[in-house]
Coordinates of all heavy atoms in Angstrom, one line a residue:
T22 N 4.8 -5.0 -16.2 CA 3.5 -4.8 -15.5 C 3.3 -3.3 -15.4 O 4.2 -2.6 -15.0 CB 3.5 -5.5 -14.1 OG1 3.6 -6.9 -14.3 CG2 2.2 -5.2 -13.4
Q23 N 2.0 -2.9 -15.7 CA 1.7 -1.5 -15.5 C 0.7 -1.3 -14.4 O -0.2 -2.1 -14.3 CB 1.1 -0.9 -16.8 CG 2.1 -0.9 -18.0 CD 1.5 -0.3 -19.2 OE1 0.3 -0.5 -19.5 NE2 2.3 0.4 -20.0
F24 N 0.8 -0.2 -13.6 CA -0.2 0.1 -12.7 C -0.3 1.6 -12.5 O 0.7 2.3 -12.7 CB 0.0 -0.6 -11.3 CG 1.3 -0.3 -10.6 CD1 1.4 0.7 -9.7 CD2 2.5 -1.0 -10.9 CE1 2.6 1.0 -9.1 CE2 3.7 -0.8 -10.3 CZ 3.8 0.2 -9.4
R25 N -1.5 2.1 -12.1 CA -1.7 3.5 -11.9 C -1.6 3.9 -10.4 O -2.2 3.2 -9.6 CB -3.1 3.9 -12.5 CG -3.2 3.9 -14.0 CD -4.4 4.6 -14.5 NE -4.4 4.6 -15.9 CZ -3.7 5.5 -16.7 NH1 -3.0 6.4 -16.1 NH2 -3.8 5.4 -18.0
T26 N -0.9 5.0 -10.2 CA -0.7 5.4 -8.8 C -1.9 6.3 -8.4 O -2.8 6.5 -9.2 CB 0.6 6.3 -8.7 OG1 0.4 7.5 -9.5 CG2 1.8 5.6 -9.2
R27 N -1.9 6.7 -7.1 CA -3.0 7.5 -6.6 C -3.1 8.9 -7.3 O -4.2 9.5 -7.4 CB -2.9 7.8 -5.1 CG -3.0 6.5 -4.3 CD -3.1 6.8 -2.8 NE -3.2 5.5 -2.1 CZ -4.3 4.9 -1.9 NH1 -5.4 5.4 -2.3 NH2 -4.3 3.7 -1.2
N28 N -2.0 9.3 -7.9 CA -2.0 10.6 -8.7 C -2.3 10.3 -10.2 O -2.2 11.2 -11.0 CB -0.6 11.2 -8.6 CG -0.3 11.7 -7.2 OD1 -1.2 12.0 -6.4 ND2 1.0 11.6 -6.8
N29 N -2.8 9.1 -10.5 CA -3.2 8.7 -11.8 C -2.0 8.7 -12.8 O -2.2 8.9 -14.0 CB -4.3 9.7 -12.4 CG -5.1 9.1 -13.5 OD1 -5.4 7.9 -13.4 ND2 -5.6 9.9 -14.4
D30 N -0.8 8.5 -12.3 CA 0.3 8.3 -13.1 C 0.5 6.8 -13.5 O 0.3 6.0 -12.7 CB 1.6 8.8 -12.4 CG 1.6 10.3 -12.1 OD1 1.0 11.0 -12.9 OD2 2.1 10.6 -11.0
L31 N 0.8 6.6 -14.8 CA 1.0 5.2 -15.2 C 2.5 4.8 -15.1 O 3.4 5.4 -15.6 CB 0.6 5.1 -16.7 CG 0.6 3.7 -17.3 CD1 -0.4 2.8 -16.6 CD2 0.3 3.7 -18.8
V32 N 2.7 3.8 -14.3 CA 4.1 3.3 -14.0 C 4.2 1.9 -14.6 O 3.4 1.0 -14.5 CB 4.3 3.2 -12.5 CG1 5.7 2.6 -12.2 CG2 4.1 4.5 -11.8
T33 N 5.3 1.8 -15.4 CA 5.7 0.5 -16.0 C 6.9 -0.1 -15.4 O 8.0 0.6 -15.3 CB 5.9 0.7 -17.6 OG1 4.8 1.3 -18.2 CG2 6.2 -0.6 -18.2
V34 N 6.8 -1.3 -14.9 CA 7.9 -2.0 -14.2 C 8.2 -3.3 -14.9 O 7.3 -4.1 -15.1 CB 7.5 -2.3 -12.7 CG1 8.6 -3.0 -12.0 CG2 7.1 -1.0 -12.0
P35 N 9.5 -3.5 -15.3 CA 9.8 -4.8 -15.9 C 9.5 -5.9 -15.0 O 9.7 -5.9 -13.8 CB 11.3 -4.6 -16.2 CG 11.6 -3.2 -16.2 CD 10.6 -2.6 -15.3
N36 N 9.0 -7.0 -15.6 CA 8.7 -8.2 -14.8 C 9.8 -8.8 -14.1 O 9.7 -9.4 -13.0 CB 8.0 -9.3 -15.7 CG 6.7 -8.9 -16.2 OD1 6.0 -8.1 -15.5 ND2 6.3 -9.3 -17.4
S37 N 11.1 -8.7 -14.6 CA 12.2 -9.2 -14.0 C 12.5 -8.5 -12.6 O 12.9 -9.1 -11.7 CB 13.5 -9.1 -14.8 OG 13.7 -7.7 -15.2
M38 N 12.1 -7.2 -12.6 CA 12.3 -6.5 -11.3 C 11.3 -6.9 -10.3 O 11.6 -7.1 -9.1 CB 12.2 -5.0 -11.5 CG 13.3 -4.3 -12.3 SD 13.1 -2.5 -12.5 CE 13.1 -2.1 -10.8
I39 N 10.0 -7.1 -10.7 CA 9.0 -7.6 -9.8 C 9.3 -8.9 -9.2 O 9.0 -9.2 -8.1 CB 7.6 -7.5 -10.5 CG1 7.2 -6.1 -10.9 CG2 6.5 -8.2 -9.6 CD1 5.9 -6.0 -11.5
S40 N 9.8 -9.8 -10.1 CA 10.1 -11.2 -9.6 C 11.3 -11.2 -8.6 O 11.4 -12.2 -7.8 CB 10.5 -12.0 -10.8 OG 11.7 -11.6 -11.4
K41 N 12.1 -10.1 -8.5 CA 13.2 -10.1 -7.6 C 12.9 -9.4 -6.3 O 13.6 -9.5 -5.3 CB 14.4 -9.4 -8.3 CG 15.0 -10.2 -9.5 CD 16.1 -9.4 -10.1 CE 16.6 -10.1 -11.3 NZ 17.7 -9.3 -12.0
E42 N 11.8 -8.6 -6.3 CA 11.5 -7.8 -5.1 C 10.2 -8.3 -4.4 O 9.4 -9.0 -5.0 CB 11.2 -6.3 -5.6 CG 12.5 -5.7 -6.2 CD 13.5 -5.4 -5.2 OE1 13.2 -5.3 -4.0 OE2 14.7 -5.2 -5.6
S43 N 10.0 -7.8 -3.2 CA 8.8 -8.1 -2.4 C 7.8 -7.1 -2.7 O 8.1 -5.9 -2.9 CB 9.1 -8.2 -0.9 OG 10.0 -9.2 -0.6
F44 N 6.5 -7.4 -2.8 CA 5.4 -6.5 -2.9 C 4.3 -6.9 -2.1 O 4.2 -8.1 -1.7 CB 5.0 -6.3 -4.4 CG 4.5 -7.6 -5.0 CD1 3.2 -8.0 -5.0 CD2 5.4 -8.5 -5.7 CE1 2.7 -9.1 -5.5 CE2 4.9 -9.6 -6.3 CZ 3.6 -10.0 -6.2
I45 N 3.4 -6.0 -1.8 CA 2.2 -6.2 -1.0 C 0.9 -6.1 -1.9 O 0.8 -5.1 -2.6 CB 2.0 -5.2 0.2 CG1 3.3 -5.3 1.0 CG2 0.8 -5.5 1.0 CD1 3.3 -4.2 2.1
N46 N 0.1 -7.1 -1.8 CA -1.2 -7.1 -2.6 C -2.3 -6.9 -1.5 O -2.6 -7.7 -0.7 CB -1.4 -8.4 -3.3 CG -2.6 -8.4 -4.2 OD1 -3.5 -7.5 -4.1 ND2 -2.7 -9.3 -5.1
Y47 N -2.9 -5.6 -1.6 CA -3.9 -5.3 -0.6 C -5.3 -5.8 -1.0 O -6.2 -5.7 -0.2 CB -4.0 -3.7 -0.5 CG -2.8 -3.1 0.0 CD1 -1.9 -2.4 -0.9 CD2 -2.4 -3.1 1.3 CE1 -0.7 -1.8 -0.4 CE2 -1.3 -2.5 1.8 CZ -0.4 -1.9 0.9 OH 0.7 -1.3 1.4
S48 N -5.4 -6.5 -2.1 CA -6.7 -7.0 -2.6 C -6.8 -8.5 -2.5 O -7.7 -9.1 -2.9 CB -6.9 -6.6 -4.0 OG -6.9 -5.2 -4.2
S49 N -5.7 -9.2 -1.9 CA -5.7 -10.6 -1.9 C -5.3 -11.0 -0.5 O -4.4 -10.4 0.1 CB -4.8 -11.2 -2.9 OG -4.7 -12.6 -2.9
P50 N -5.8 -12.1 0.1 CA -6.8 -13.0 -0.5 C -8.2 -12.5 -0.6 O -9.1 -13.1 -1.2 CB -6.7 -14.2 0.5 CG -6.4 -13.6 1.8 CD -5.5 -12.5 1.5
S51 N -8.5 -11.3 0.1 CA -9.8 -10.7 -0.1 C -9.6 -9.2 -0.1 O -8.5 -8.7 0.2 CB -10.8 -11.1 1.1 OG -10.4 -10.4 2.3
R52 N -10.6 -8.5 -0.4 CA -10.5 -7.0 -0.5 C -10.6 -6.3 0.9 O -10.5 -5.1 1.0 CB -11.6 -6.4 -1.4 CG -11.6 -7.1 -2.8 CD -12.4 -6.3 -3.8 NE -11.7 -5.1 -4.3 CZ -10.8 -5.1 -5.3 NH1 -10.5 -6.3 -5.9 NH2 -10.1 -4.1 -5.6
V53 N -10.9 -7.1 1.9 CA -10.9 -6.6 3.3 C -9.5 -6.4 3.8 O -8.7 -7.3 3.8 CB -11.7 -7.6 4.2 CG1 -11.7 -7.1 5.6 CG2 -13.1 -7.7 3.7
S54 N -9.2 -5.2 4.2 CA -7.9 -4.8 4.7 C -7.9 -4.1 6.0 O -8.8 -3.2 6.2 CB -7.2 -4.0 3.6 OG -5.9 -3.5 4.0
G55 N -7.0 -4.4 6.9 CA -7.0 -3.8 8.2 C -6.1 -2.5 8.2 O -5.1 -2.5 7.5
R56 N -6.5 -1.5 8.9 CA -5.8 -0.3 9.0 C -5.5 0.1 10.4 O -6.3 -0.2 11.3 CB -6.5 0.9 8.3 CG -7.0 0.6 6.9 CD -5.8 0.2 6.0 NE -4.8 1.2 5.9 CZ -3.6 0.9 5.4 NH1 -3.3 -0.3 5.0 NH2 -2.7 1.9 5.4
L57 N -4.4 0.7 10.7 CA -4.0 1.1 12.0 C -3.9 2.6 12.1 O -3.2 3.3 11.2 CB -2.7 0.5 12.4 CG -2.6 -1.0 12.5 CD1 -1.2 -1.5 12.8 CD2 -3.5 -1.5 13.6
V58 N -4.5 3.2 13.1 CA -4.4 4.6 13.3 C -4.0 4.8 14.8 O -4.6 4.2 15.7 CB -5.8 5.4 13.1 CG1 -5.7 6.8 13.5 CG2 -6.2 5.3 11.6
E59 N -2.9 5.6 15.0 CA -2.4 5.8 16.4 C -2.8 7.3 16.8 O -2.7 8.2 16.0 CB -0.9 5.6 16.4 CG -0.5 4.1 16.2 CD 0.9 3.9 16.4 OE1 1.7 4.9 16.7 OE2 1.4 2.7 16.3
V60 N -3.1 7.4 18.1 CA -3.4 8.7 18.6 C -2.9 8.8 20.1 O -3.0 7.8 20.8 CB -4.9 9.0 18.6 CG1 -5.7 8.0 19.3 CG2 -5.2 10.4 19.1
G61 N -2.3 9.9 20.4 CA -1.8 10.2 21.8 C -2.8 11.0 22.6 O -3.4 12.0 22.1
V62 N -3.0 10.6 23.8 CA -4.0 11.2 24.7 C -3.4 11.5 26.0 O -2.5 10.8 26.5 CB -5.2 10.2 24.9 CG1 -6.2 10.8 25.9 CG2 -5.9 10.0 23.6
D63 N -3.9 12.6 26.7 CA -3.4 13.0 27.9 C -3.5 11.9 29.0 O -4.5 11.2 29.0 CB -4.1 14.3 28.4 CG -3.5 15.0 29.5 OD1 -3.5 14.5 30.7 OD2 -2.9 16.0 29.3
Y64 N -2.5 11.9 29.9 CA -2.5 10.9 31.0 C -3.7 10.9 31.9 O -4.0 9.9 32.6 CB -1.2 11.0 31.8 CG 0.0 10.2 31.2 CD1 0.8 10.7 30.3 CD2 0.2 8.9 31.6 CE1 1.9 10.0 29.8 CE2 1.2 8.1 31.1 CZ 2.1 8.7 30.2 OH 3.1 8.0 29.7
R65 N -4.3 12.1 32.0 CA -5.4 12.2 33.0 C -6.7 11.5 32.6 O -7.6 11.3 33.4 CB -5.7 13.7 33.3 CG -6.3 14.4 32.1 CD -6.3 15.9 32.3 NE -6.7 16.7 31.2 CZ -8.0 17.0 30.9 NH1 -8.9 16.7 31.8 NH2 -8.3 17.8 29.9
H66 N -6.8 11.0 31.4 CA -8.0 10.3 30.9 C -7.8 8.8 31.1 O -6.8 8.2 30.7 CB -8.3 10.6 29.5 CG -8.4 12.1 29.2 ND1 -9.4 12.9 29.7 CD2 -7.6 12.9 28.4 CE1 -9.2 14.1 29.3 NE2 -8.2 14.2 28.5

């Protein structure tokens, strides 16, 4: 399986490795994906 990284590098991974490892599909079951952003704020607010 081949995929392109954010730096536009082409990475080739043997299928046997993919079948043995866990991976995350951000486009399934839909293209809607949740994101988390954390921020620290002063106690006085």
Side-chain angles (χ1 to χ4, degrees):
T22 297
Q23 294 181 326
F24 58 94
R25 290 196 176 277
T26 66
R27 294 189 182 277
N28 295 328
N29 204 34
D30 299 323
L31 186 64
V32 178
T33 301
V34 181
N36 289 330
S37 59
M38 290 183 60
I39 294 182
S40 64
K41 296 176 183 177
E42 299 288 341
S43 300
F44 62 87
I45 301 175
N46 188 342
Y47 297 104
S48 304
S49 180
S51 73
R52 306 195 78 84
V53 176
S54 176
R56 307 305 302 167
L57 296 176
V58 174
E59 292 187 359
V60 59
V62 175
D63 194 285
Y64 270 90
R65 63 190 176 93
H66 305 297

